[in-house]
Amino acid sequence: MFRCTFQYAAKTSIARGVCMRRGLHNPANGWNTVIGLEIHAQIDSQTKLFSDSLTSFNAPVNSNISVVDAAFPGVQPTLNEKCVELAVRTAIALGSTINNRSTFDRKHYFYPDLPQGYQITQHHSMYQPVSQGGELELATHDGVPEPMQVRIEQIQLEQDTGKSIHDMRPDMTLLDLNRAGSALQAGQFVKKLQALLRCVGSSNANMEEGSLRCDVNVSVHKEGDPWGTRCELKNLNSVRFLSAAIEAEIQRQIKVLENGGIIEQETRGYDVEQGKTFRLRGKETARDYRYMPETDLPSLILTQEYIDALRNNMPELPDAKRERLMQQYNLSDHDAAVLLSESNAAEYFETVCQGRPPKLVVNWTTHELFGQLASKNIPFAANPVSTDQLGSVLDLIQSGSVTGMTAKNVLKVMIDEAGGRLASEIVEERRWKKLDDKLILKEMCLQLMDKNPDKVRTTSYDVFCSSDDSLSYPILQVASIRSGNTKLATWLIGQIMGKTRGLADPVTLNKMMEQALGVKLDDLNNVSHSKGKKSKKKGQ
């Protein structure tokens, strides 16, 4: 469990080591807000912390439980070595001091989703938790107004509870113990910590699946007064709801105090539809939990050789990777941040980038690929387009074999089929090769004008002669277009693009249309822009 202090204003401490706190001052009404954020992240191991039962979000109800998870009499827990390794890796990533010896405790409380009647944790360890100290740095690209440091109090291991289901049967609460006994880490922050946990491999940190959950402590006080009584907000399963719940609770507490009331220390929930928090129960204290040493587990001993071996085999961390991507590929801060927002997206980008322009690759990865996946509700982790496939699309774009619109359609086919076919095969099968024949496009321009005499009114005919005699043909001098009618020119081009199903090469088509109209389209835009300026002056 991570215990962190988020320093935003003056250095202070929080009772009971609240994980994250932020002092917010509102000069308009004189209220200061203190926010503590504790995050529980389920360790990404195949089996649970103290049993050999599998961990799976999608498993059928009560299918991944053992006699240990169900707390049968006489059973004893066995510590999962992989969970310890991932906790140590997380500690290294956060710069924490790893303790060579740590122990476990029993934290007693009686909920139906905790069969033992207590939770095995390291909160009040007789010796020390897995690690202590460390920090997480936040920069402006992380969404904060100015750089700041997050100080880590401690990292500890503890088992998860089961899940209570209240809305399936009106007369009873149903229990799903699949999650019971899973390994938890509790810590600080959401988005940046999510990225770090995923990078290290210690947790998938998915709030929607419940593998990352947030508890928030909120209190308000007047400037110069002692800190107020805090209330804890539970069961927040998204960053958006977390932010909304905090704001709602701040306003509730201020209203209560300004009306002469008092704030009771309690645990509250958040009603998404009404945008309000509501009371769940009174807040327990450390005395209520009756901590005692866990007698069924020996001390956890970590040798320095073990710690050094893990330290020497750490992956590249998000901040270091972001800086390298920006320097090596000349990416913008935004592009690097988007790549790092999805697990393995940066590695995907770098693979596609081999031998190809980085700017082209990052645009197609973060805009086209991400966008099409999002429109179909496909997470990047389930991306069906291989690096070879996306690379083949970009190769056709660079060679001029397809238009940008066609390339987007090819990518759509790849996502829909999920069959691994390369772009050239799809283009060949569907006859999507780019149309850039000047003679064909010239004829299409002239035919379009002949079929739309009401839109194309000519004043005279001139003869255009190019160096290639085959391209000599009469030029229609279109009065309305020459006077700056950009909409009509756009309409003409759009008609041909529609007729060719987007296969016409835009550059070649524009040139042929310019020759047919006897006017440069860039000059046309300048005329239109100049008219707009004159119109504004008249209005003034």
Side-chain angles (χ1 to χ4, degrees):
M1 179 178 289
F2 300 126
R3 284 188 165 271
C4 316
T5 301
F6 176 22
Q7 179 61 42
Y8 185 83
K11 292 184 178 180
T12 50
S13 60
I14 298 178
R16 299 186 66 249
V18 174
C19 296
M20 171 179 133
R21 73 127 182 94
R22 179 177 182 180
L24 302 173
H25 176 59
N26 186 345
N29 54 27
W31 289 101
N32 282 353
T33 302
V34 178
I35 300 171
L37 177 61
E38 184 177 290
I39 300 174
H40 304 264
Q42 183 174 311
I43 295 178
D44 195 16
S45 57
Q46 291 187 346
T47 57
K48 298 181 182 180
L49 183 59
F50 297 119
S51 78
D52 58 1
S53 298
L54 298 177
T55 58
S56 174
F57 172 71
N58 294 317
V61 172
N62 289 323
S63 60
N64 288 342
I65 58 174
S66 68
V67 291
V68 175
D69 306 325
F72 275 44
V75 299
Q76 291 185 316
T78 301
L79 183 59
N80 186 330
E81 183 178 348
K82 184 64 176 180
C83 293
V84 175
E85 175 193 329
L86 294 177
V88 173
R89 286 185 179 275
T90 304
I92 294 171
L94 290 169
S96 300
T97 300
I98 300 167
N99 296 315
N100 297 110
R101 182 181 184 183
S102 60
T103 58
F104 291 90
D105 306 298
R106 293 182 179 181
K107 176 183 178 181
H108 292 82
Y109 54 94
F110 299 99
Y111 296 145
D113 51 16
L114 191 65
Q116 299 167 170
Y118 60 84
Q119 180 187 42
I120 301 177
T121 181
Q122 293 186 312
H123 181 62
H124 277 213
S125 177
M126 181 183 298
Y127 294 97
Q128 293 172 320
V130 169
S131 72
Q132 295 168 301
E135 65 181 20
L136 184 64
E137 183 177 354
L138 294 177
T140 52
H141 62 260
D142 296 311
V144 294
E146 59 186 28
M148 57 188 67
Q149 300 290 330
V150 177
R151 293 180 294 136
I152 309 300
E153 181 179 329
Q154 70 180 44
I155 296 175
Q156 64 190 54
L157 286 164
E158 64 182 27
Q159 64 182 163
D160 203 353
T161 63
K163 181 180 180 180
S164 296
I165 304 171
H166 305 288
D167 55 359
M168 292 184 67
R169 294 283 298 273
D171 57 339
M172 63 181 64
T173 293
L174 304 181
L175 300 179
D176 180 5
L177 298 182
N178 278 347
R179 199 175 66 186
S182 297
L184 279 183
Q185 294 172 315
Q188 198 67 0
F189 276 155
V190 183
K191 290 186 177 179
K192 185 149 191 177
L193 188 57
Q194 279 179 315
L196 186 141
L197 294 175
R198 289 166 180 166
C199 173
V200 173
S202 58
S203 175
N204 65 21
N206 191 317
M207 295 189 74
E208 288 73 20
E209 294 181 1
S211 57
L212 188 140
R213 305 189 300 279
C214 299
D215 298 336
V216 183
N217 286 277
V218 179
S219 70
V220 300
H221 62 279
K222 283 286 189 179
E223 180 71 24
D225 290 348
W227 285 11
T229 301
R230 60 189 175 91
C231 292
E232 183 179 30
L233 304 177
K234 303 279 286 188
N235 305 325
L236 304 173
N237 61 0
S238 76
V239 177
R240 182 165 61 92
F241 291 158
L242 181 146
S243 301
I246 290 174
E247 179 62 28
E249 179 60 16
I250 290 172
Q251 297 304 321
R252 184 193 73 86
Q253 292 190 21
I254 291 176
K255 184 176 181 180
V256 169
L257 294 174
E258 288 183 341
N259 289 334
I262 60 173
I263 301 298
E264 297 182 7
Q265 185 171 342
E266 59 188 4
T267 299
R268 301 180 66 85
Y270 177 64
D271 188 316
V272 176
E273 293 184 359
Q274 296 188 22
K276 297 179 179 179
T277 65
F278 59 91
R279 177 184 170 89
L280 290 173
R281 59 181 180 273
K283 177 60 182 170
E284 300 90 344
T285 64
R287 178 177 298 179
D288 296 325
Y289 292 132
R290 294 182 294 116
Y291 286 99
M292 62 173 287
E294 172 52 74
T295 56
D296 288 336
L297 287 170
S299 297
L300 174 60
I301 306 298
L302 302 175
T303 65
Q304 195 58 44
E305 291 77 13
Y306 174 83
I307 297 171
D308 290 342
L310 293 179
R311 192 186 304 276
N312 294 331
N313 193 32
M314 289 288 289
E316 186 180 28
L317 298 181
D319 281 349
K321 181 177 291 186
R322 173 184 159 276
E323 291 297 327
R324 181 180 63 78
L325 290 174
M326 293 175 64
Q327 294 180 10
Q328 182 175 343
Y329 299 102
N330 196 29
L331 299 184
S332 68
D333 193 357
H334 173 75
D335 286 340
V338 173
L339 287 174
L340 291 173
S341 67
E342 295 286 351
S343 181
N344 297 321
E347 290 78 8
Y348 184 96
F349 159 79
E350 291 193 89
T351 301
V352 178
C353 215
Q354 295 175 11
R356 301 182 180 95
K359 188 62 178 176
L360 177 67
V361 177
V362 75
N363 283 341
W364 273 82
T365 302
T366 60
H367 293 96
E368 298 304 331
L369 179 58
F370 281 15
Q372 291 202 29
L373 291 175
S375 68
K376 298 178 182 296
N377 294 319
I378 301 175
F380 186 76
N383 172 28
V385 181
S386 70
T387 54
D388 288 340
Q389 285 182 289
L390 182 60
S392 70
V393 175
L394 303 186
D395 291 342
L396 290 184
I397 294 174
Q398 286 188 278
S399 67
S401 300
V402 297
T403 65
M405 181 59 68
T406 298
K408 294 178 182 180
N409 291 332
V410 171
L411 184 61
K412 182 178 183 298
V413 171
M414 290 177 172
I415 294 174
D416 291 340
E417 289 185 349
R421 290 201 299 163
L422 297 182
S424 57
E425 183 180 349
I426 297 173
V427 170
E428 184 69 24
E429 176 192 80
R430 305 206 175 197
R431 299 180 181 179
W432 281 352
K433 191 174 180 179
K434 183 167 67 178
L435 174 60
D436 55 4
D437 189 298
K438 293 180 179 179
L439 291 176
I440 295 177
L441 291 177
K442 173 198 71 175
E443 187 62 28
M444 293 181 71
C445 290
L446 295 175
Q447 288 179 2
L448 178 63
M449 293 176 180
D450 290 340
K451 290 180 179 179
N452 293 274
D454 58 324
K455 294 183 180 293
V456 181
R457 293 176 298 177
T458 63
T459 58
S460 64
Y461 283 89
D462 291 335
V463 176
F464 168 78
C465 297
S466 71
S467 57
D468 182 356
D469 290 339
S470 65
L471 292 182
S472 298
Y473 55 91
I475 298 299
L476 296 173
Q477 304 297 319
V478 185
S480 59
I481 291 180
R482 290 173 66 88
S483 64
N485 191 336
T486 57
K487 290 183 178 180
L488 181 53
T490 302
W491 180 85
L492 292 171
I493 292 174
Q495 291 299 303
I496 296 178
M497 290 298 290
K499 188 173 182 179
T500 62
R501 296 177 297 136
L503 299 180
D505 176 32
V507 175
T508 305
L509 174 59
N510 281 357
K511 288 182 179 179
M512 294 300 99
M513 186 62 73
E514 286 177 347
Q515 293 173 2
L517 296 173
V519 63
K520 290 284 189 181
L521 296 182
D522 287 342
D523 295 341
L524 200 61
N525 289 328
N526 292 335
V527 171
S528 177
H529 183 65
S530 176
K531 283 187 174 182
K533 282 187 174 181
K534 290 180 180 179
S535 177
K536 283 185 179 180
K537 287 183 179 179
K538 288 182 179 180
Q540 293 175 353

